[in-house]
Amino acid sequence: MIWLIGGLVLIGAGVVSAYLPRLRAHAARKRAAWATAKAAIAAAGVSRDACAADVPEARRLLAEAEALSGGPDAARTATELAERADRLWQEACDE
Amino acid sequence: MSKNTFGIARWVLAGVAIAVAVIFLLQQRQGDIDVSYGESPSSDYEEGESGELSDHTVPSTDEMVRQVQAEPVVRLPGASAKWNRQWLREHVDTAGVRLLFAPPGLDEQETERVLAVVEDDSIADAPFDLVTVTGTKVRGGPYTAAADDIDGFQRQFAAGDVTGLLAAVITGMRDAGDPPTAPGLTWREPTSAELGTVTADLERDRLHVADGATLSDVPGNAANAFPDTEPMIVALPQQDTGRPVPDYAPALAERFPDTPVVVLYGNYVDYAGPYRDQFYEVATAGVYGMLGDRISRYDYPQDNVLFAWLNKVTDIRYAGLFDRPLPYQPFDPLKVTLPALPFVFAACVLGVIVLSVTALRRRPSHGRPPTVRLAALSALSVEVSGLTTEASNPSLTRAITHLDAARERDGSAVGRRAAHNLLDKAEHELAETARLIERSDYEPRHYTAGWGV
């Protein structure tokens, strides 16, 4: 019985000690990725406000980016969408 | 994507390196190294171990000398060689030649006693030439005779007939030129009664041993010499020169087609069956050329002679005759590649190192905390803010957005990397701003150079 409990404790300790840093690293990555995405969305918003013309495609992309949520992968997708919207608005302004 | 590929390649290379190292180490044998001076593994051959000695013996040298002086032809008990006295007299000058026939299978002392007869003073000075025949081995003066063709081998080993050898030695001693060729054995068809007995035995157990033959069993190497079909073996005793010899081999080969038929006449091996033309003469000449001396002097059982002959046939088979592909030995790929494994291992390690270094090689500033870059770019944005126009405002605003986001990152490795990425974007926007206000001194590359970034 003591062996069973000891074994379970040992396995549990192993799992926890392996899993906690992973969870923590995942959370940190998620935070960082979402911060990058928020910055990209904000930058796209700046470009939109600076541009007089209306670009429906960019608007759609930005809305899509803002609607996304989830892990680091979703954040990266949001970043890409926002950057594409940003570029579209900047090109529309330059013309 | 490419970063992922690099990672996978690194792991694959590391795995291959480990596997190769393990295989190589497991193949290193160390148990069977013998650190001592080599001892020959051969066992000493004791005379008589193969049954080549007979029960016969010879009298003392003096006794034999006395007999030779008394009679022109002395046959010691057990002497088996035969010769055609009439033919020899007609074809060779035999005047003053005396013959001493000794039995085959003498041991070393007995052989020396026979040789001592020739060297005995009274014989050396005698007015005649002495020719000794031990078994079927003929010696006279400095000369020894040996058969050198199939007819000669048949006479000597199938019938124990030494007429031709005697003629050769005597003409040699007399310097009388080329010796005449003695008549060969005469052959006849075996009668159906003879053939019936042999065939019945062969059909039952592929072996027929006639009365007087000394073969005990089929030698173990028969399957090597004839791997396709088990040979049929007939063992007959030594034949009589005077009478025609029944020629069993062709008759049996006709009766059992595609089967190797080996017929032993005394110590002579005859063969009929597949591939006879390709190997028979070579094998027979090889066996009797190399071993004829011993076979003639000693009293070997037929087992030994047949074993030697089958060995020779096997050798010829593996030498590539017989119209048949050689048995192919597939090589062991591990043995062949083993010497290359250390180099494969080294190449894998090198690959892992190169890929690791490539993965580590980022912009050097990105390893450090982003504080200095953040401060420099923030100061630049403040300085530029007074100079911006409506056209350059958006890029400055975007830069500040990124700077704000970078400022909030924590000090962990992930946060640091994210901060640097955001600062890269801010730097890009500030470069755009500097271009729009046409002030290259506010180019972030130039501006931050003074900050030690």
Side-chain angles (χ1 to χ4, degrees), chain B residues 27-62:
Chain B
Q27 287 299 316
Q28 306 303 307
R29 292 185 206 294
Q30 302 186 334
D32 51 2
I33 293 172
D34 186 7
V35 281
S36 76
Y37 290 101
E39 283 172 36
S40 167
S42 72
S43 56
D44 286 337
Y45 178 75
E46 292 268 337
E47 191 175 38
E49 267 179 11
S50 306
E52 73 267 38
L53 298 184
S54 63
D55 299 334
H56 301 296
T57 182
V58 291
S60 69
T61 306
D62 292 339

Side-chain angles (χ1 to χ4, degrees), chain B residues 137-359:
Chain B
K137 168 99 179 162
V138 182
R139 288 198 196 89
Y143 293 97
T144 302
D148 60 357
D149 58 3
I150 295 284
D151 272 348
F153 296 137
Q154 281 175 353
R155 274 199 309 275
Q156 185 178 0
F157 298 109
D161 181 281
V162 293
T163 314
L165 303 178
L166 285 173
V169 164
I170 292 167
T171 49
M173 289 164 80
R174 301 272 158 91
D175 288 331
D178 289 337
T181 307
L185 290 186
T186 49
W187 298 91
R188 67 169 167 83
E189 291 258 323
T191 64
S192 55
E194 287 171 334
L195 210 54
T197 325
V198 174
T199 308
D201 270 2
L202 288 183
E203 271 169 355
R204 203 171 55 247
D205 37 39
R206 302 181 89 85
L207 174 69
H208 170 80
V209 181
D211 288 341
T214 52
L215 186 71
S216 57
D217 204 354
V218 179
N221 59 350
N224 296 337
F226 300 103
D228 302 329
T229 320
E230 197 188 332
M232 291 181 164
I233 294 172
V234 180
L236 304 169
Q238 202 169 64
Q239 302 296 305
D240 215 345
T241 11
R243 277 179 298 176
V245 179
D247 195 2
Y248 280 106
L252 289 173
E254 204 172 303
R255 172 73 182 73
F256 303 104
D258 297 327
T259 306
V261 178
V262 180
V263 184
L264 280 151
Y265 298 99
N267 281 337
Y268 181 77
V269 185
D270 197 8
Y271 171 81
Y275 304 115
R276 185 185 198 279
D277 295 342
Q278 288 174 40
F279 77 92
Y280 176 69
E281 288 198 16
V282 179
T284 305
V287 168
Y288 294 111
M290 281 197 291
L291 305 175
D293 183 60
R294 282 191 77 82
I295 296 176
S296 61
R297 271 189 294 139
Y298 289 99
D299 193 18
Y300 279 104
Q302 286 174 323
D303 301 69
N304 299 42
V305 179
L306 184 57
F307 183 84
W309 187 82
L310 290 172
N311 257 357
K312 183 58 83 180
V313 174
T314 309
D315 282 349
I316 293 171
R317 178 179 290 283
Y318 276 80
L321 299 180
F322 278 85
D323 256 2
R324 162 180 178 280
L326 289 178
Y328 172 68
Q329 303 277 327
F331 65 88
D332 180 356
L334 183 64
K335 288 264 148 42
V336 175
T337 52
L338 208 54
L341 290 187
F343 299 98
V344 174
F345 175 74
C348 288
V349 169
L350 202 68
V352 170
I353 289 172
V354 166
L355 288 178
S356 304
V357 169
T358 315

Side-chain angles (χ1 to χ4, degrees), chain B residues 313-441:
Chain B
V313 174
T314 309
D315 282 349
I316 293 171
R317 178 179 290 283
Y318 276 80
L321 299 180
F322 278 85
D323 256 2
R324 162 180 178 280
L326 289 178
Y328 172 68
Q329 303 277 327
F331 65 88
D332 180 356
L334 183 64
K335 288 264 148 42
V336 175
T337 52
L338 208 54
L341 290 187
F343 299 98
V344 174
F345 175 74
C348 288
V349 169
L350 202 68
V352 170
I353 289 172
V354 166
L355 288 178
S356 304
V357 169
T358 315
L360 285 175
R361 213 186 53 193
R362 298 199 200 95
R363 279 178 62 177
S365 63
H366 284 200
R368 283 183 277 159
T371 41
V372 179
R373 276 186 91 196
L374 188 57
L377 293 177
S378 300
L380 175 60
S381 66
V382 171
E383 275 193 45
V384 164
S385 62
L387 304 168
T388 50
T389 59
E390 199 177 329
S392 55
N393 255 332
S395 63
L396 180 62
T397 316
R398 284 194 295 265
I400 290 168
T401 311
H402 290 306
L403 283 174
D404 283 344
R407 190 170 297 122
E408 282 156 21
R409 295 298 91 229
D410 52 19
S412 69
V414 180
R416 220 185 289 166
R417 211 177 309 138
H420 275 297
N421 282 337
L422 287 164
L423 288 175
D424 284 346
K425 287 179 187 169
E427 205 176 306
H428 180 74
E429 298 292 357
L430 284 171
E432 177 79 6
T433 311
R435 193 178 62 78
L436 288 171
I437 61 172
E438 293 173 346
R439 289 286 297 271
S440 65
D441 51 333

